[in-house]
Amino acid sequence: RPAQQQAARPREVPPQLVSQLTDMGFSTTRAIAALKSSQLDILEAINWLSDHCEESEEYFERIAAAPMPAPPAPAQAAAAPAAPAAPRPAPQIPPHLKQILTIFDPVFKAIAMVALGMDGPRASLEGTRLPAMEADGWKGLAGAVVRIWGGGRDPEGLCAGLDPNTAVLVRKTLEYVSLGAAGLGPLLDDDARAGMTADPEFPKIVEQFGPYVDRMAKSAVRQTQLSLGSGGAPDEAADAEVGTFVDQMEKANWQIRTPLEMLSAGVRSRDDILECIGPLANGQPDDRSGRLAAVLLQAVIRVEGASGDAMDVA
């Protein structure tokens, strides 16, 4: 009886659904087990994985190897209309995605800034950040952002066709847009204004480079004073030491030479300094070079303030 045999064949887990979960960092075994346990509902699968994250690998292997449970039979028509179902709770965000949200939080704020009429980070977002995120697998994010900038505010419409991960990013961005300019303003920091990701490790780097940043700042102020004829005396030994350090940093792929030259020429605009930082060879934004350049700018301003020779800062 071919028809009966075909009906009895266990349902298979679609590979494209498995790929959506493995792209989020889950193993193939866990992805299959979650999809089987959730009747192939991707959001329910994410919730299920979050609820069972402490289970052993053998637990997931056993479920993945077992046939998928049959879907529940449709309910019989009742004599009286059933009470409306309680609204489904929002899917829980897996721990690894929470970490991504924390890292990219300044970027969501930067996108919201542009949506609310503050165009400062727009060039950086369009030129480097959004293309890099698309290349990293956040497919459709750039298109959703353009629609948000064009006035789109409906989360369902903006997230239609996006994978669950990218949809979470879009919804987070809309949360910031909903605050309005007055509500968003107090939440903005330098990372958001530059469209950079958060980097919790960077303070350690600044501490490591601290003495060299001070030497570069003093060299830049000295060169500015000499070029403007406002005092200062040459210090060839100190400048040579700074030059050697900059050479080493450039070989290690830190873009610091051009920002230092701009500062030495008297540039004090943070936006202008950051604009000279190009993307890395792989197309990713070079946020760490940008941060180091911003730290160097602050050090230059501090040195000039101490010498009473401060310049206007844009």
Side-chain angles (χ1 to χ4, degrees):
R1 291 173 243 177
Q4 291 182 358
Q5 290 176 358
Q6 184 173 5
R9 183 180 302 164
R11 290 188 300 161
E12 296 180 353
V13 178
Q16 62 269 28
L17 294 182
V18 176
S19 296
Q20 287 191 39
L21 292 177
T22 55
D23 287 347
M24 296 182 192
F26 299 109
S27 70
T28 300
T29 299
R30 290 181 178 235
I32 294 174
L35 289 165
K36 285 186 173 182
S37 300
S38 61
Q39 293 294 323
L40 305 183
D41 185 312
I42 191 72
L43 294 180
E44 294 292 347
I46 293 173
N47 275 339
W48 187 90
L49 285 165
S50 179
D51 292 340
H52 295 81
C53 62
E54 302 298 329
E55 300 289 350
S56 66
E57 201 61 31
E58 291 78 8
Y59 173 82
F60 294 104
E61 291 173 354
R62 184 171 65 254
I63 296 176
M68 185 169 10
Q76 297 293 328
R88 174 184 290 184
Q92 298 179 8
I93 300 176
H96 80 282
L97 188 53
K98 289 182 180 179
Q99 182 179 6
I100 292 174
L101 290 175
T102 300
I103 292 172
F104 280 91
D105 189 67
V107 176
F108 306 145
K109 293 174 182 174
I111 296 171
M113 285 177 64
V114 178
L116 295 171
M118 296 173 275
D119 280 342
R122 182 167 193 151
S124 173
L125 292 168
E126 289 182 325
T128 309
R129 177 68 57 196
L130 292 174
M133 293 183 73
E134 287 274 344
D136 278 346
W138 305 96
K139 300 299 183 183
L141 176 63
V145 168
V146 171
R147 291 163 65 191
I148 291 172
W149 288 347
R153 298 293 184 269
D154 174 36
E156 298 303 325
L158 290 166
C159 295
L162 301 181
D163 66 81
N165 249 8
T166 305
V168 170
L169 270 61
V170 172
R171 291 178 185 276
K172 185 63 180 177
T173 299
L174 288 173
E175 289 180 16
Y176 284 127
V177 174
S178 69
L179 297 176
L184 180 65
L187 303 180
L188 300 177
D189 55 15
D190 288 342
D191 287 345
R193 293 185 180 93
M196 292 183 179
T197 56
D199 188 351
E201 298 298 318
F202 190 73
K204 298 179 183 178
I205 297 174
V206 172
E207 184 177 355
Q208 176 186 352
F209 291 154
Y212 297 99
V213 170
D214 288 341
R215 293 169 192 168
M216 286 191 292
K218 291 176 181 177
S219 176
V221 171
R222 187 163 52 248
Q223 295 299 325
T224 300
Q225 291 172 337
L226 290 172
S227 65
L228 297 178
S230 59
D235 191 334
E236 295 181 0
D239 291 341
E241 183 180 4
V242 167
T244 299
F245 174 73
V246 170
D247 289 342
Q248 294 172 344
M249 293 289 286
E250 290 282 333
K251 288 179 181 178
N253 296 321
W254 288 85
Q255 301 181 65
I256 197 61
R257 187 188 308 281
T258 302
L260 178 60
E261 291 174 349
M262 294 177 68
L263 289 165
S264 298
V267 177
R268 297 296 183 267
S269 164
R270 188 177 191 274
D271 290 344
D272 290 343
I273 296 295
L274 294 181
E275 190 175 350
C276 75
I277 305 294
L280 297 168
N282 61 3
Q284 295 291 324
D286 190 359
D287 288 343
R288 289 198 166 181
S289 291
R291 280 194 177 84
L292 186 59
V295 168
L296 179 56
L297 169 61
Q298 292 303 315
V300 166
I301 294 171
R302 186 170 58 250
V303 170
E304 287 179 332
S307 65
D309 195 26
M311 299 179 62
D312 291 335
V313 179

